[in-house]
């Protein structure tokens, strides 16, 4: 028996606790060698890049890290994502287990640099890493105050995609997208962002998703965000953790990946935000005109266990 989050009964003998914000999973009875549970832990998605007039399109934000488990003998009638680990958490003792649900990263725009990385989500020993932020376009003088790597190479440049659960797309000329699944876990929690494109119309790459890497941009077309993955751990199939789309220069904008990724918008304005409680990456903003990237979507934590035979 346990409390915390929104509690539902599924498949007759199983309970699901859904946390859409920080909380506590409190076990009051049933501790012991059989007190194991399955989980889905998704971090906040990365914010997207924007552009200063007359630069090109910004890049999409990476999805928040996606981690899940399923053990057939204990989990009942449901279909997990392709990323599900085959070992459950536990056993647990009676007591409280803190739950952290990561916020989405801030979209980046003209002016001083904004840290656009998503925040981590944590349950017990499972940490899903926030999505990397999307690269900027035409942002002279902006320097990251943190050294998140780009495809494993430390960088303070705002043009490259940030690394994280899934990496943000790269912007401006052919800057690379950020590395996904950083730090590495198995099964992987995400994928890398796509590369930006050069003249004649500068465009940003798509952010990585849990199920696929972000697409590279081509001149005049922003990259699409990487697809998320589907699970019905909550008793209905839901797709989450899609990457954000990269923007162009008043041409073809990239779409958000399935699973809450935000789509890009140009000219000017603000890119689409990642969907709430999906960990979706933000969609980029494009030029001409000053543009701001969309924010990443917040994460979610789901806990599932057998409460009766």
């Amino acid at each position: 028996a346990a409390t915390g989050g929104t509690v539902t009964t599924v498949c007759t003998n199983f309970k699901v606790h859904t946390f859409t914000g920080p909380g506590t999973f409190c076990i009051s009875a049933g501790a012991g060698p059989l007190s194991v549970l399955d989980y889905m832990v998704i971090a906040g998605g990365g914010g997207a890049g924007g552009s200063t007039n007359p630069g090109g399109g910004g890049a999409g934000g990476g999805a928040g890290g996606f981690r899940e488990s399923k053990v057939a003998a204990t989990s009942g009638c449901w279909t997990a994502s392709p990323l599900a680990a085959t070992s459950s958490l536990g056993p647990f003792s009676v007591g409280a287990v803190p739950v952290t649900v990561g916020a989405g990263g801030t979209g980046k725009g003209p002016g001083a640099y904004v840290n656009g990385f998503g925040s981590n989500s944590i349950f017990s020993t499972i940490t899903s890493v926030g999505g990397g932020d999307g690269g900027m376009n035409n942002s002279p003088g902006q320097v990251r105050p943190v050294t998140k790597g780009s495809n494993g190479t430390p960088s303070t440049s705002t043009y490259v995609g940030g690394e994280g659960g899934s990496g943000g797309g790269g912007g401006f000329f052919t800057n690379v997208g950020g590395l996904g699944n950083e730090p590495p876990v198995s099964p992987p929690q995400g994928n890398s962002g796509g590369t930006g494109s050069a003249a004649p119309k500068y465009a940003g790459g798509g952010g990585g998703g849990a199920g696929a890497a972000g697409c590279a941009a081509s001149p005049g077309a922003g990259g699409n965000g990487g697809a998320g993955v589907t699970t019905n751990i909550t008793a209905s199939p839901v797709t989450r953790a899609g990457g954000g789309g990269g923007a162009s220069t008043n041409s073809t904008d990239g779409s958000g990946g399935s699973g809450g990724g935000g789509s890009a918008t140009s000219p000017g304005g603000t890119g689409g935000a990642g969907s709430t409680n999906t960990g979706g990456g933000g969609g980029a903003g494009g030029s001409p005109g000053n543009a701001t990237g969309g924010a990443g979507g917040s994460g979610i934590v789901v806990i599932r266990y057998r409460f009766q035979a």
Side-chain angles (χ1 to χ4, degrees):
T3 59
T6 300
V7 185
T8 56
T9 299
V10 299
C11 296
T12 306
N13 298 320
F14 297 84
K15 285 190 177 179
V16 170
H17 294 239
T18 301
F19 291 83
T20 57
T24 303
F25 181 70
C26 190
I27 302 170
S28 56
L34 299 181
S35 61
V36 296
L37 53 82
D38 286 310
Y39 59 84
M40 180 187 71
V41 180
I42 304 177
S51 178
T52 53
N53 192 45
F66 181 105
R67 301 187 67 184
E68 183 181 31
S69 75
K70 181 186 179 185
V71 176
T74 61
S75 296
C77 52
W78 62 288
T79 302
S81 74
L83 301 180
T86 56
S87 58
S88 298
L89 282 178
F92 286 89
S93 302
V94 169
V97 184
V99 176
T100 300
V101 176
T106 303
K108 301 188 297 182
Y113 175 77
V114 173
N115 186 343
F117 294 90
S119 297
N120 297 351
S121 289
I122 305 170
F123 172 68
S124 185
T125 60
I126 302 299
T127 297
S128 293
V129 178
D133 59 356
M136 288 286 292
N137 270 347
N138 199 26
S139 53
Q142 291 194 340
V143 177
R144 276 196 178 105
V146 291
T147 54
K148 292 282 186 175
S150 164
N151 280 345
T153 303
S155 176
T156 57
S157 169
T158 62
Y159 298 125
V160 301
E163 69 178 27
S166 282
F172 198 72
F173 290 106
T174 54
N175 279 290
V176 294
L179 189 67
N181 193 32
E182 279 295 317
V185 293
S186 181
Q189 59 183 308
N191 293 278
S192 299
T195 303
S197 74
K201 291 185 176 182
Y202 303 105
C215 295
S218 59
N224 292 331
V229 292
T230 302
T231 175
N232 61 356
I233 189 172
T234 57
S236 60
V238 181
T239 305
R240 301 178 178 89
S248 66
T249 306
N250 198 19
S251 187
T252 303
D253 292 321
S255 298
S258 60
S263 293
T265 303
S266 66
T270 302
S275 297
T276 303
N277 296 131
T278 68
S287 62
N290 292 329
T292 301
S298 55
I300 189 171
V301 172
V302 175
I303 301 162
R304 180 179 177 128
Y305 59 91
R306 180 185 288 274
F307 74 97
Q308 64 183 11

